[in-house]
Short mmCIF file of all heavy atoms in Angstrom, two decimals:
data_model
loop_
_atom_site.label_atom_id
_atom_site.label_comp_id
_atom_site.label_asym_id
_atom_site.label_seq_id
_atom_site.Cartn_x
_atom_site.Cartn_y
_atom_site.Cartn_z
N MET A 24 -22.39 -0.28 -3.73
CA MET A 24 -21.87 0.49 -4.84
C MET A 24 -21.15 -0.45 -5.78
O MET A 24 -20.38 -1.29 -5.35
CB MET A 24 -20.96 1.59 -4.28
CG MET A 24 -19.57 1.63 -4.84
SD MET A 24 -18.48 2.80 -4.06
CE MET A 24 -17.39 1.67 -3.23
N GLN A 25 -21.41 -0.33 -7.03
CA GLN A 25 -20.77 -1.15 -8.05
C GLN A 25 -19.73 -0.31 -8.77
O GLN A 25 -20.03 0.78 -9.24
CB GLN A 25 -21.82 -1.67 -9.04
CG GLN A 25 -21.30 -2.68 -10.01
CD GLN A 25 -20.91 -4.00 -9.35
OE1 GLN A 25 -21.43 -4.35 -8.31
NE2 GLN A 25 -19.99 -4.70 -9.97
N LEU A 26 -18.52 -0.81 -8.83
CA LEU A 26 -17.44 -0.09 -9.51
C LEU A 26 -17.43 -0.43 -10.99
O LEU A 26 -17.75 -1.55 -11.38
CB LEU A 26 -16.08 -0.48 -8.91
CG LEU A 26 -15.84 -0.10 -7.45
CD1 LEU A 26 -14.54 -0.72 -6.97
CD2 LEU A 26 -15.80 1.40 -7.29
N THR A 27 -17.02 0.53 -11.80
CA THR A 27 -16.84 0.26 -13.22
C THR A 27 -15.51 -0.47 -13.41
O THR A 27 -14.65 -0.47 -12.52
CB THR A 27 -16.82 1.56 -14.04
OG1 THR A 27 -15.64 2.31 -13.67
CG2 THR A 27 -18.07 2.40 -13.79
N GLN A 28 -15.33 -1.06 -14.58
CA GLN A 28 -14.07 -1.74 -14.88
C GLN A 28 -12.89 -0.77 -14.81
O GLN A 28 -11.81 -1.13 -14.37
CB GLN A 28 -14.15 -2.41 -16.25
CG GLN A 28 -14.93 -3.70 -16.26
CD GLN A 28 -14.39 -4.70 -15.27
OE1 GLN A 28 -15.05 -5.02 -14.27
NE2 GLN A 28 -13.21 -5.22 -15.49
N LYS A 29 -13.12 0.45 -15.25
CA LYS A 29 -12.05 1.46 -15.22
C LYS A 29 -11.67 1.79 -13.78
O LYS A 29 -10.48 1.91 -13.46
CB LYS A 29 -12.50 2.71 -15.97
CG LYS A 29 -11.40 3.68 -16.25
CD LYS A 29 -11.87 4.78 -17.19
CE LYS A 29 -10.69 5.58 -17.67
NZ LYS A 29 -11.06 6.56 -18.68
N GLU A 30 -12.66 1.94 -12.91
CA GLU A 30 -12.38 2.22 -11.49
C GLU A 30 -11.62 1.05 -10.86
O GLU A 30 -10.68 1.26 -10.09
CB GLU A 30 -13.69 2.49 -10.75
CG GLU A 30 -14.34 3.78 -11.13
CD GLU A 30 -15.75 3.93 -10.60
OE1 GLU A 30 -16.46 2.91 -10.46
OE2 GLU A 30 -16.15 5.08 -10.33
N ILE A 31 -12.04 -0.16 -11.18
CA ILE A 31 -11.35 -1.34 -10.65
C ILE A 31 -9.91 -1.36 -11.12
O ILE A 31 -8.99 -1.63 -10.34
CB ILE A 31 -12.10 -2.63 -11.07
CG1 ILE A 31 -13.44 -2.71 -10.34
CG2 ILE A 31 -11.24 -3.86 -10.78
CD1 ILE A 31 -14.36 -3.80 -10.85
N MET A 32 -9.70 -1.05 -12.40
CA MET A 32 -8.34 -1.03 -12.95
C MET A 32 -7.48 0.00 -12.22
O MET A 32 -6.34 -0.28 -11.86
CB MET A 32 -8.39 -0.70 -14.45
CG MET A 32 -7.04 -0.67 -15.12
SD MET A 32 -7.12 -0.10 -16.83
CE MET A 32 -7.57 1.62 -16.60
N TYR A 33 -8.01 1.19 -12.00
CA TYR A 33 -7.26 2.24 -11.29
C TYR A 33 -6.94 1.82 -9.86
O TYR A 33 -5.82 2.04 -9.37
CB TYR A 33 -8.03 3.56 -11.27
CG TYR A 33 -8.00 4.33 -12.56
CD1 TYR A 33 -9.16 4.89 -13.07
CD2 TYR A 33 -6.82 4.52 -13.27
CE1 TYR A 33 -9.14 5.60 -14.26
CE2 TYR A 33 -6.80 5.22 -14.45
CZ TYR A 33 -7.96 5.77 -14.94
OH TYR A 33 -7.94 6.48 -16.12
N LEU A 34 -7.90 1.21 -9.18
CA LEU A 34 -7.67 0.78 -7.80
C LEU A 34 -6.63 -0.34 -7.74
O LEU A 34 -5.77 -0.36 -6.86
CB LEU A 34 -8.97 0.34 -7.15
CG LEU A 34 -9.92 1.46 -6.76
CD1 LEU A 34 -11.27 0.90 -6.32
CD2 LEU A 34 -9.32 2.32 -5.66
N LYS A 35 -6.69 -1.27 -8.68
CA LYS A 35 -5.70 -2.35 -8.70
C LYS A 35 -4.31 -1.82 -9.01
O LYS A 35 -3.31 -2.30 -8.47
CB LYS A 35 -6.12 -3.43 -9.69
CG LYS A 35 -7.27 -4.27 -9.17
CD LYS A 35 -7.61 -5.40 -10.11
CE LYS A 35 -8.71 -6.28 -9.51
NZ LYS A 35 -9.03 -7.41 -10.39
N ASP A 36 -4.24 -0.80 -9.86
CA ASP A 36 -2.95 -0.17 -10.16
C ASP A 36 -2.40 0.52 -8.91
O ASP A 36 -1.23 0.37 -8.57
CB ASP A 36 -3.11 0.83 -11.30
CG ASP A 36 -1.79 1.40 -11.77
OD1 ASP A 36 -0.86 0.61 -12.04
OD2 ASP A 36 -1.69 2.64 -11.86
N ALA A 37 -3.27 1.25 -8.21
CA ALA A 37 -2.85 1.91 -6.97
C ALA A 37 -2.42 0.87 -5.94
O ALA A 37 -1.43 1.08 -5.22
CB ALA A 37 -4.00 2.77 -6.43
N LEU A 38 -3.13 -0.23 -5.88
CA LEU A 38 -2.80 -1.31 -4.96
C LEU A 38 -1.39 -1.84 -5.21
O LEU A 38 -0.60 -2.02 -4.27
CB LEU A 38 -3.83 -2.43 -5.09
CG LEU A 38 -3.73 -3.61 -4.14
CD1 LEU A 38 -3.92 -3.17 -2.71
CD2 LEU A 38 -4.76 -4.66 -4.52
N SER A 39 -1.04 -2.04 -6.47
CA SER A 39 0.30 -2.55 -6.77
C SER A 39 1.38 -1.55 -6.39
O SER A 39 2.44 -1.94 -5.88
CB SER A 39 0.41 -2.95 -8.24
OG SER A 39 0.38 -1.82 -9.08
N HIS A 40 1.12 -0.27 -6.57
CA HIS A 40 2.08 0.76 -6.17
C HIS A 40 2.26 0.78 -4.65
O HIS A 40 3.39 0.90 -4.16
CB HIS A 40 1.65 2.14 -6.67
CG HIS A 40 1.79 2.31 -8.14
ND1 HIS A 40 2.98 2.59 -8.74
CD2 HIS A 40 0.87 2.21 -9.14
CE1 HIS A 40 2.81 2.68 -10.05
NE2 HIS A 40 1.53 2.45 -10.31
N GLU A 41 1.17 0.65 -3.93
CA GLU A 41 1.25 0.63 -2.47
C GLU A 41 2.03 -0.59 -1.98
O GLU A 41 2.83 -0.50 -1.04
CB GLU A 41 -0.16 0.63 -1.85
CG GLU A 41 -0.99 1.86 -2.15
CD GLU A 41 -0.50 3.12 -1.48
OE1 GLU A 41 0.33 3.05 -0.56
OE2 GLU A 41 -0.98 4.20 -1.86
N GLN A 42 1.81 -1.74 -2.62
CA GLN A 42 2.52 -2.95 -2.23
C GLN A 42 4.03 -2.81 -2.46
O GLN A 42 4.83 -3.27 -1.64
CB GLN A 42 1.96 -4.16 -2.99
CG GLN A 42 0.57 -4.52 -2.53
CD GLN A 42 -0.13 -5.51 -3.44
OE1 GLN A 42 0.12 -5.56 -4.64
NE2 GLN A 42 -1.05 -6.27 -2.87
N ILE A 43 4.40 -2.18 -3.55
CA ILE A 43 5.82 -1.93 -3.83
C ILE A 43 6.41 -1.04 -2.74
O ILE A 43 7.52 -1.30 -2.26
CB ILE A 43 6.00 -1.30 -5.23
CG1 ILE A 43 5.69 -2.34 -6.31
CG2 ILE A 43 7.40 -0.74 -5.39
CD1 ILE A 43 5.57 -1.76 -7.71
N CYS A 44 5.68 -0.03 -2.34
CA CYS A 44 6.16 0.88 -1.28
C CYS A 44 6.36 0.13 0.04
O CYS A 44 7.38 0.33 0.71
CB CYS A 44 5.19 2.04 -1.08
SG CYS A 44 5.20 3.23 -2.43
N VAL A 45 5.42 -0.72 0.40
CA VAL A 45 5.55 -1.48 1.65
C VAL A 45 6.81 -2.33 1.60
O VAL A 45 7.61 -2.35 2.56
CB VAL A 45 4.31 -2.37 1.90
CG1 VAL A 45 4.57 -3.37 3.01
CG2 VAL A 45 3.10 -1.52 2.23
N THR A 46 7.02 -3.01 0.49
CA THR A 46 8.21 -3.86 0.34
C THR A 46 9.49 -3.04 0.44
O THR A 46 10.42 -3.41 1.17
CB THR A 46 8.16 -4.61 -1.00
OG1 THR A 46 6.98 -5.42 -1.03
CG2 THR A 46 9.39 -5.48 -1.20
N LYS A 47 9.54 -1.93 -0.27
CA LYS A 47 10.74 -1.09 -0.25
C LYS A 47 11.01 -0.52 1.14
O LYS A 47 12.15 -0.57 1.62
CB LYS A 47 10.62 0.04 -1.26
CG LYS A 47 10.81 -0.40 -2.68
CD LYS A 47 10.81 0.79 -3.62
CE LYS A 47 11.10 0.34 -5.03
NZ LYS A 47 11.25 1.46 -5.95
N TYR A 48 9.98 0.01 1.79
CA TYR A 48 10.18 0.60 3.11
C TYR A 48 10.65 -0.44 4.12
O TYR A 48 11.52 -0.17 4.95
CB TYR A 48 8.91 1.29 3.60
CG TYR A 48 8.56 2.56 2.86
CD1 TYR A 48 7.24 2.96 2.70
CD2 TYR A 48 9.53 3.38 2.31
CE1 TYR A 48 6.90 4.12 2.03
CE2 TYR A 48 9.21 4.54 1.62
CZ TYR A 48 7.89 4.91 1.49
OH TYR A 48 7.57 6.05 0.82
N ASN A 49 10.07 -1.64 4.06
CA ASN A 49 10.50 -2.70 4.98
C ASN A 49 11.93 -3.12 4.68
O ASN A 49 12.71 -3.35 5.62
CB ASN A 49 9.55 -3.89 4.91
CG ASN A 49 8.29 -3.66 5.71
OD1 ASN A 49 8.31 -3.04 6.77
ND2 ASN A 49 7.18 -4.15 5.20
N ASN A 50 12.30 -3.19 3.41
CA ASN A 50 13.68 -3.52 3.05
C ASN A 50 14.64 -2.46 3.57
O ASN A 50 15.70 -2.78 4.10
CB ASN A 50 13.84 -3.69 1.54
CG ASN A 50 13.25 -4.98 1.04
OD1 ASN A 50 13.04 -5.92 1.79
ND2 ASN A 50 12.96 -5.02 -0.25
N TYR A 51 14.28 -1.20 3.39
CA TYR A 51 15.13 -0.10 3.89
C TYR A 51 15.30 -0.22 5.41
O TYR A 51 16.40 -0.09 5.94
CB TYR A 51 14.55 1.26 3.55
CG TYR A 51 14.45 1.58 2.08
CD1 TYR A 51 13.50 2.48 1.61
CD2 TYR A 51 15.30 1.00 1.14
CE1 TYR A 51 13.39 2.78 0.26
CE2 TYR A 51 15.19 1.30 -0.21
CZ TYR A 51 14.24 2.19 -0.64
OH TYR A 51 14.13 2.49 -1.97
N ALA A 52 14.18 -0.45 6.10
CA ALA A 52 14.22 -0.54 7.56
C ALA A 52 15.13 -1.68 8.02
O ALA A 52 15.88 -1.54 8.99
CB ALA A 52 12.81 -0.73 8.11
N ASN A 53 15.08 -2.79 7.31
CA ASN A 53 15.89 -3.95 7.69
C ASN A 53 17.38 -3.74 7.41
O ASN A 53 18.21 -4.40 8.03
CB ASN A 53 15.40 -5.20 6.96
CG ASN A 53 14.04 -5.64 7.44
OD1 ASN A 53 13.65 -5.36 8.58
ND2 ASN A 53 13.30 -6.30 6.59
N GLN A 54 17.71 -2.84 6.52
CA GLN A 54 19.11 -2.59 6.17
C GLN A 54 19.78 -1.52 7.04
O GLN A 54 21.00 -1.44 7.07
CB GLN A 54 19.22 -2.18 4.70
CG GLN A 54 18.84 -3.26 3.73
CD GLN A 54 18.82 -2.78 2.30
OE1 GLN A 54 19.39 -1.74 1.98
NE2 GLN A 54 18.16 -3.52 1.43
N LEU A 55 18.98 -0.74 7.73
CA LEU A 55 19.51 0.38 8.48
C LEU A 55 20.06 -0.03 9.84
O LEU A 55 19.51 -0.90 10.51
CB LEU A 55 18.43 1.44 8.68
CG LEU A 55 18.06 2.22 7.42
CD1 LEU A 55 16.78 3.00 7.64
CD2 LEU A 55 19.19 3.16 7.04
N GLN A 56 21.14 0.63 10.23
CA GLN A 56 21.71 0.44 11.56
C GLN A 56 21.09 1.41 12.57
O GLN A 56 21.00 1.10 13.74
CB GLN A 56 23.24 0.67 11.51
CG GLN A 56 23.98 -0.28 10.60
CD GLN A 56 23.87 -1.72 11.05
OE1 GLN A 56 23.95 -2.01 12.24
NE2 GLN A 56 23.69 -2.63 10.11
N ASP A 57 20.67 2.56 12.07
CA ASP A 57 20.08 3.59 12.92
C ASP A 57 18.65 3.20 13.28
O ASP A 57 17.78 3.11 12.42
CB ASP A 57 20.11 4.93 12.18
CG ASP A 57 19.64 6.09 13.03
OD1 ASP A 57 18.51 6.02 13.56
OD2 ASP A 57 20.39 7.07 13.16
N ALA A 58 18.40 2.95 14.55
CA ALA A 58 17.09 2.49 15.01
C ALA A 58 15.98 3.51 14.73
O ALA A 58 14.85 3.13 14.41
CB ALA A 58 17.13 2.16 16.49
N GLU A 59 16.31 4.79 14.86
CA GLU A 59 15.31 5.82 14.63
C GLU A 59 14.88 5.87 13.17
O GLU A 59 13.69 5.98 12.86
CB GLU A 59 15.86 7.18 15.07
CG GLU A 59 14.81 8.26 15.15
CD GLU A 59 15.34 9.55 15.76
OE1 GLU A 59 16.29 9.48 16.56
OE2 GLU A 59 14.80 10.61 15.41
N LEU A 60 15.84 5.79 12.27
CA LEU A 60 15.51 5.76 10.84
C LEU A 60 14.76 4.49 10.47
O LEU A 60 13.81 4.53 9.68
CB LEU A 60 16.77 5.89 9.99
CG LEU A 60 17.35 7.29 9.84
CD1 LEU A 60 18.66 7.23 9.05
CD2 LEU A 60 16.37 8.22 9.16
N ALA A 61 15.17 3.37 11.03
CA ALA A 61 14.49 2.11 10.76
C ALA A 61 13.03 2.19 11.22
O ALA A 61 12.12 1.76 10.51
CB ALA A 61 15.20 0.96 11.45
N ALA A 62 12.80 2.78 12.37
CA ALA A 62 11.43 2.95 12.88
C ALA A 62 10.61 3.85 11.97
O ALA A 62 9.42 3.60 11.75
CB ALA A 62 11.46 3.52 14.30
N MET A 63 11.24 4.89 11.44
CA MET A 63 10.54 5.79 10.52
C MET A 63 10.08 5.03 9.28
O MET A 63 8.94 5.16 8.83
CB MET A 63 11.45 6.95 10.11
CG MET A 63 10.77 7.92 9.16
SD MET A 63 11.93 9.08 8.39
CE MET A 63 12.73 8.01 7.21
N PHE A 64 10.96 4.18 8.72
CA PHE A 64 10.59 3.41 7.53
C PHE A 64 9.53 2.36 7.84
O PHE A 64 8.64 2.11 7.03
CB PHE A 64 11.82 2.78 6.88
CG PHE A 64 12.56 3.74 5.99
CD1 PHE A 64 13.77 4.27 6.39
CD2 PHE A 64 12.04 4.13 4.77
CE1 PHE A 64 14.46 5.16 5.58
CE2 PHE A 64 12.72 5.03 3.96
CZ PHE A 64 13.92 5.54 4.35
N ARG A 65 9.58 1.78 9.03
CA ARG A 65 8.53 0.82 9.41
C ARG A 65 7.20 1.53 9.58
O ARG A 65 6.15 1.00 9.21
CB ARG A 65 8.92 0.09 10.69
CG ARG A 65 9.98 -0.95 10.45
CD ARG A 65 10.16 -1.91 11.61
NE ARG A 65 11.22 -2.85 11.28
CZ ARG A 65 12.52 -2.65 11.52
NH1 ARG A 65 12.92 -1.55 12.11
NH2 ARG A 65 13.41 -3.56 11.17
N ASN A 66 7.23 2.74 10.10
CA ASN A 66 6.02 3.54 10.23
C ASN A 66 5.45 3.85 8.85
O ASN A 66 4.23 3.75 8.63
CB ASN A 66 6.32 4.84 11.00
CG ASN A 66 5.09 5.66 11.25
OD1 ASN A 66 3.97 5.20 11.16
ND2 ASN A 66 5.30 6.93 11.57
N LEU A 67 6.31 4.21 7.91
CA LEU A 67 5.85 4.47 6.54
C LEU A 67 5.24 3.21 5.92
O LEU A 67 4.20 3.27 5.26
CB LEU A 67 7.01 4.98 5.68
CG LEU A 67 7.49 6.40 5.98
CD1 LEU A 67 8.78 6.69 5.23
CD2 LEU A 67 6.42 7.42 5.63
N ALA A 68 5.88 2.07 6.15
CA ALA A 68 5.35 0.81 5.62
C ALA A 68 3.96 0.52 6.21
O ALA A 68 3.06 0.08 5.49
CB ALA A 68 6.31 -0.33 5.93
N ASN A 69 3.79 0.80 7.50
CA ASN A 69 2.49 0.60 8.14
C ASN A 69 1.42 1.51 7.55
O ASN A 69 0.28 1.09 7.36
CB ASN A 69 2.59 0.81 9.65
CG ASN A 69 3.34 -0.30 10.34
OD1 ASN A 69 3.43 -1.41 9.83
ND2 ASN A 69 3.91 0.00 11.50
N ARG A 70 1.79 2.73 7.26
CA ARG A 70 0.83 3.66 6.65
C ARG A 70 0.43 3.19 5.26
O ARG A 70 -0.75 3.25 4.88
CB ARG A 70 1.42 5.06 6.56
CG ARG A 70 1.54 5.76 7.88
CD ARG A 70 2.07 7.16 7.69
NE ARG A 70 2.39 7.77 8.96
CZ ARG A 70 2.74 9.02 9.09
NH1 ARG A 70 2.84 9.81 8.04
NH2 ARG A 70 3.01 9.51 10.28
N GLU A 71 1.40 2.71 4.51
CA GLU A 71 1.10 2.19 3.17
C GLU A 71 0.22 0.95 3.26
O GLU A 71 -0.68 0.75 2.44
CB GLU A 71 2.38 1.88 2.40
CG GLU A 71 3.30 3.07 2.16
CD GLU A 71 2.70 4.19 1.35
OE1 GLU A 71 1.69 3.98 0.64
OE2 GLU A 71 3.24 5.31 1.41
N GLN A 72 0.45 0.12 4.29
CA GLN A 72 -0.38 -1.06 4.49
C GLN A 72 -1.82 -0.65 4.78
O GLN A 72 -2.76 -1.32 4.34
CB GLN A 72 0.17 -1.92 5.63
CG GLN A 72 -0.60 -3.21 5.83
CD GLN A 72 -0.59 -4.10 4.62
OE1 GLN A 72 0.48 -4.41 4.09
NE2 GLN A 72 -1.75 -4.52 4.15
N GLN A 73 -2.01 0.44 5.50
CA GLN A 73 -3.37 0.95 5.74
C GLN A 73 -4.02 1.35 4.43
O GLN A 73 -5.23 1.12 4.23
CB GLN A 73 -3.33 2.13 6.71
CG GLN A 73 -2.98 1.75 8.12
CD GLN A 73 -2.78 2.95 9.03
OE1 GLN A 73 -2.83 4.11 8.60
NE2 GLN A 73 -2.55 2.68 10.31
N HIS A 74 -3.24 1.92 3.52
CA HIS A 74 -3.78 2.27 2.20
C HIS A 74 -4.20 1.00 1.45
O HIS A 74 -5.25 0.98 0.81
CB HIS A 74 -2.74 3.03 1.38
CG HIS A 74 -2.33 4.34 1.95
ND1 HIS A 74 -1.16 4.96 1.62
CD2 HIS A 74 -2.93 5.16 2.85
CE1 HIS A 74 -1.05 6.09 2.27
NE2 HIS A 74 -2.12 6.23 3.05
N ILE A 75 -3.37 -0.03 1.54
CA ILE A 75 -3.69 -1.31 0.90
C ILE A 75 -5.00 -1.86 1.46
O ILE A 75 -5.87 -2.30 0.69
CB ILE A 75 -2.53 -2.32 1.10
CG1 ILE A 75 -1.33 -1.91 0.26
CG2 ILE A 75 -2.98 -3.74 0.77
CD1 ILE A 75 -0.06 -2.70 0.54
N ASP A 76 -5.14 -1.82 2.76
CA ASP A 76 -6.37 -2.32 3.40
C ASP A 76 -7.58 -1.54 2.91
O ASP A 76 -8.64 -2.12 2.64
CB ASP A 76 -6.25 -2.24 4.91
CG ASP A 76 -5.17 -3.15 5.48
OD1 ASP A 76 -4.71 -4.07 4.76
OD2 ASP A 76 -4.76 -2.92 6.63
N THR A 77 -7.44 -0.22 2.79
CA THR A 77 -8.55 0.61 2.33
C THR A 77 -8.91 0.29 0.88
O THR A 77 -10.09 0.15 0.53
CB THR A 77 -8.19 2.11 2.46
OG1 THR A 77 -7.94 2.41 3.82
CG2 THR A 77 -9.29 3.00 1.92
N ILE A 78 -7.90 0.17 0.03
CA ILE A 78 -8.15 -0.14 -1.38
C ILE A 78 -8.81 -1.52 -1.50
O ILE A 78 -9.76 -1.68 -2.28
CB ILE A 78 -6.84 -0.08 -2.20
CG1 ILE A 78 -6.34 1.36 -2.27
CG2 ILE A 78 -7.07 -0.63 -3.61
CD1 ILE A 78 -4.93 1.51 -2.83
N ASN A 79 -8.33 -2.49 -0.74
CA ASN A 79 -8.95 -3.82 -0.77
C ASN A 79 -10.41 -3.77 -0.34
O ASN A 79 -11.26 -4.44 -0.93
CB ASN A 79 -8.16 -4.81 0.09
CG ASN A 79 -6.94 -5.32 -0.61
OD1 ASN A 79 -6.91 -5.46 -1.84
ND2 ASN A 79 -5.90 -5.61 0.15
N ARG A 80 -10.71 -2.98 0.67
CA ARG A 80 -12.10 -2.82 1.11
C ARG A 80 -12.95 -2.20 0.01
O ARG A 80 -14.08 -2.64 -0.25
CB ARG A 80 -12.17 -1.94 2.37
CG ARG A 80 -12.33 -2.72 3.65
CD ARG A 80 -12.67 -1.86 4.85
NE ARG A 80 -11.93 -0.62 4.99
CZ ARG A 80 -10.72 -0.52 5.52
NH1 ARG A 80 -10.10 -1.58 5.96
NH2 ARG A 80 -10.13 0.64 5.62
N LEU A 81 -12.41 -1.18 -0.66
CA LEU A 81 -13.15 -0.54 -1.75
C LEU A 81 -13.41 -1.53 -2.88
O LEU A 81 -14.51 -1.57 -3.44
CB LEU A 81 -12.37 0.67 -2.28
CG LEU A 81 -12.31 1.89 -1.37
CD1 LEU A 81 -11.32 2.91 -1.92
CD2 LEU A 81 -13.70 2.51 -1.22
N LEU A 82 -12.39 -2.31 -3.20
CA LEU A 82 -12.57 -3.31 -4.27
C LEU A 82 -13.62 -4.34 -3.87
O LEU A 82 -14.47 -4.72 -4.69
CB LEU A 82 -11.23 -3.98 -4.58
CG LEU A 82 -10.24 -3.16 -5.36
CD1 LEU A 82 -8.85 -3.80 -5.34
CD2 LEU A 82 -10.71 -2.96 -6.80
N GLN A 83 -13.57 -4.78 -2.63
CA GLN A 83 -14.53 -5.78 -2.15
C GLN A 83 -15.95 -5.22 -2.16
O GLN A 83 -16.89 -5.87 -2.62
CB GLN A 83 -14.13 -6.25 -0.76
CG GLN A 83 -14.94 -7.40 -0.26
CD GLN A 83 -14.45 -7.89 1.09
OE1 GLN A 83 -14.00 -7.09 1.91
NE2 GLN A 83 -14.51 -9.19 1.30
N GLN A 84 -16.10 -4.00 -1.66
CA GLN A 84 -17.42 -3.37 -1.61
C GLN A 84 -17.93 -3.07 -3.02
O GLN A 84 -19.15 -3.06 -3.24
CB GLN A 84 -17.37 -2.08 -0.81
CG GLN A 84 -17.16 -2.27 0.66
CD GLN A 84 -16.89 -0.97 1.40
OE1 GLN A 84 -16.78 0.10 0.80
NE2 GLN A 84 -16.75 -1.05 2.71
N GLY A 85 -17.02 -2.85 -3.96
CA GLY A 85 -17.40 -2.51 -5.32
C GLY A 85 -17.66 -3.70 -6.20
O GLY A 85 -17.94 -3.55 -7.39
N GLY A 86 -17.53 -4.89 -5.64
CA GLY A 86 -17.85 -6.09 -6.41
C GLY A 86 -16.71 -6.66 -7.20
O GLY A 86 -16.89 -7.55 -8.01
N ALA A 87 -15.48 -6.18 -6.97
CA ALA A 87 -14.31 -6.71 -7.67
C ALA A 87 -13.82 -7.96 -6.94
O ALA A 87 -13.95 -8.07 -5.73
CB ALA A 87 -13.20 -5.67 -7.74
N GLN A 88 -13.26 -8.86 -7.67
CA GLN A 88 -12.73 -10.09 -7.07
C GLN A 88 -11.40 -9.85 -6.43
O GLN A 88 -10.57 -9.22 -6.89
CB GLN A 88 -12.61 -11.19 -8.12
CG GLN A 88 -13.93 -11.59 -8.67
CD GLN A 88 -14.81 -12.36 -7.67
OE1 GLN A 88 -14.40 -12.68 -6.56
NE2 GLN A 88 -16.03 -12.60 -8.05
#
C-alpha cells in the first residue's frame, strides 16, 4: 500500500503526539512516590509506545522514510 503525502503527514503528526505522551507519562511515573500510581503511568506510557510502533509500521509499509 502506498500512502499519500497527506496520509504520511497525518501519521507523522500523530507519531509526534504519541512520543510526547510517552515522555510525559514516564516523567510523571518517575516523580511519583506512590508505586501504584507510578505503575499506572508506566502502563500508559507502554500503551502509547505500542501506538508509536503501529504508526511506524504503517509508515514503513506505506513507503514513507
Side-chain angles (χ1 to χ4, degrees):
M24 126 186 110
Q25 188 67 26
L26 296 172
T27 66
Q28 283 304 112
K29 192 170 191 174
E30 291 169 329
I31 291 169
M32 181 186 68
Y33 283 135
L34 286 171
K35 286 184 177 182
D36 186 50
L38 184 63
S39 69
H40 289 280
E41 297 291 346
Q42 290 168 332
I43 289 168
C44 288
V45 168
T46 300
K47 284 185 176 186
Y48 290 149
N49 281 324
N50 286 340
Y51 296 154
N53 291 334
Q54 294 174 18
L55 288 167
Q56 299 297 319
D57 186 304
E59 192 172 332
L60 281 176
M63 180 193 74
F64 278 107
R65 285 193 181 89
N66 184 17
L67 289 170
N69 289 337
R70 289 183 189 187
E71 299 299 341
Q72 184 61 53
Q73 290 173 356
H74 297 159
I75 289 171
D76 295 343
T77 299
I78 293 169
N79 280 328
R80 260 192 316 278
L81 289 170
L82 285 167
Q83 188 176 35
Q84 290 171 356
Q88 296 290 354

